[in-house]
Amino acid sequence: ESTPAIASLAVDVLWRAGVPRAAVQLLPGRGRSVGMQMVSDERVQGVMFTGSTETAKVLQATLAQRLNAHGQVVPLIAETGGQNCMVVDSSALLEQVVQDAVASAFEAAGQRCSALRVLCVQGDVADRLIDMLQGAMAEIQMGTPAQLSVDMGPVIDERAQKGIAAHVQKMLERGCKVQRIGRNPPDRLPTGTYVQPTLIEIDSIAQLEREVFGPVLHIVRYARKDLDALLAQMARDCEAARAVLAAVPEVLPQNAKA
């Protein structure tokens, strides 16, 4: 719905590679109209969806009203919003953490499903890591992605830009420390739907009501004795992909190694 041009190019590549046109077709349009009409059609025997959890539930409810040609439930594979978390303990090589965190959180303007959303840092090294992160973020050049000198482009559209801005404002109103950092000064951002790389310190993952799909990285400090509780909260609240950076695996609890 937002990027039909690139979708058309991708489908054209598949056709030219020999994939039958009957096997791959592109039908651009708004999800509420075109998408729902397709999902409701009895000829559709399976659905793969990437998007919000709310929309996935609507699709599930729609598909539950009918069975497929074999009298079975129509398959639905849905990848929905979640919080991708990285856990950093005091034995981690912080230079590597910064490199990986910046690449994951801010490349592609944070608009990919694998992007890092929450960085959980052991309190002993949190201040140093945050200083290093801020230094790395200050080197991020924003602009047109076609230029080799550019590190980060705009977010997908104005709706996304406004949604991210609303989240950042909400965190500010809650008393969270917010840092907007980049090589471009705020008054010299390119024309377009740009969002500065943003770092937000929060007290708990529970403060995040939903995934923020953009260049926003949240920092949570934790005490070594609370690591088990943190991992349990991640498993319960985040639908998280967990990455644990530790130079010495033995310092991690058993459930973190799994």
Side-chain angles (χ1 to χ4, degrees):
E1 142 181 352
S2 297
T3 55
I6 192 66
S8 178
L9 289 172
V11 171
D12 185 63
V13 168
L14 292 173
W15 286 344
R16 287 189 281 113
V19 176
R21 288 179 177 255
V24 179
Q25 300 178 43
L26 175 64
L27 184 58
R30 295 192 175 278
R32 291 184 179 180
S33 53
V34 176
M36 288 307 300
Q37 186 170 342
M38 291 179 63
V39 170
S40 302
D41 195 303
E42 293 186 357
R43 292 170 293 180
V44 173
Q45 297 292 292
V47 176
M48 296 180 67
F49 168 78
T50 299
S52 71
T53 302
E54 293 84 357
T55 301
K57 291 179 178 179
V58 172
L59 296 178
Q60 183 182 39
T62 301
L63 292 173
Q65 299 176 22
R66 63 183 177 88
L67 301 176
N68 65 17
H70 304 287
Q72 301 168 331
V73 174
V74 178
L76 169 63
I77 301 174
E79 188 206 6
T80 60
Q83 306 292 355
N84 294 325
C85 303
M86 179 188 293
V87 178
V88 180
D89 81 347
S90 59
S91 70
L93 179 63
L94 298 189
E95 291 79 3
Q96 184 67 54
V97 173
V98 170
Q99 179 179 329
D100 293 344
V102 169
S104 181
F106 303 120
E107 286 185 359
Q111 295 214 302
R112 55 188 181 192
C113 297
S114 60
L116 179 64
R117 307 298 183 200
V118 184
L119 188 61
C120 304
V121 187
Q122 190 170 331
D124 308 66
V125 296
D127 287 337
R128 182 183 171 208
L129 179 58
I130 290 172
D131 286 342
M132 293 171 67
L133 275 172
Q134 291 174 343
M137 291 168 63
E139 296 300 317
I140 296 176
Q141 179 72 38
M142 300 174 64
T144 303
Q147 299 175 353
L148 293 178
S149 61
V150 167
D151 302 304
M152 195 180 93
V155 295
I156 193 168
D157 55 26
E158 187 176 354
R159 182 176 65 175
Q161 183 188 42
K162 289 181 177 180
I164 296 167
H167 169 75
V168 173
Q169 182 61 35
K170 182 184 293 186
M171 293 295 102
L172 280 169
E173 292 171 357
R174 291 179 177 178
C176 299
K177 186 175 181 180
V178 175
Q179 299 284 338
R180 299 182 182 94
I181 305 172
R183 178 172 289 185
N184 309 64
D187 59 344
R188 295 185 182 177
L189 292 178
T191 301
T193 53
Y194 288 88
V195 175
Q196 277 192 298
T198 303
L199 195 65
I200 303 178
E201 295 187 50
I202 59 177
D203 297 324
S204 169
I205 297 172
Q207 289 179 257
L208 302 178
E209 300 168 357
R210 60 183 301 162
E211 180 182 16
V212 180
F213 209 66
V216 179
L217 179 60
H218 303 87
I219 299 283
V220 175
R221 300 170 187 250
Y222 73 92
R224 174 64 182 84
K225 63 181 178 63
D226 297 328
L227 179 57
D228 282 336
L230 173 68
L231 294 178
Q233 183 184 42
M234 287 166 56
R236 182 181 67 249
D237 296 340
C238 292
E239 306 172 29
R242 302 199 299 259
V244 180
L245 281 124
V248 185
E250 287 72 17
V251 305
L252 298 176
Q254 191 61 41
N255 61 351
K257 298 178 185 178

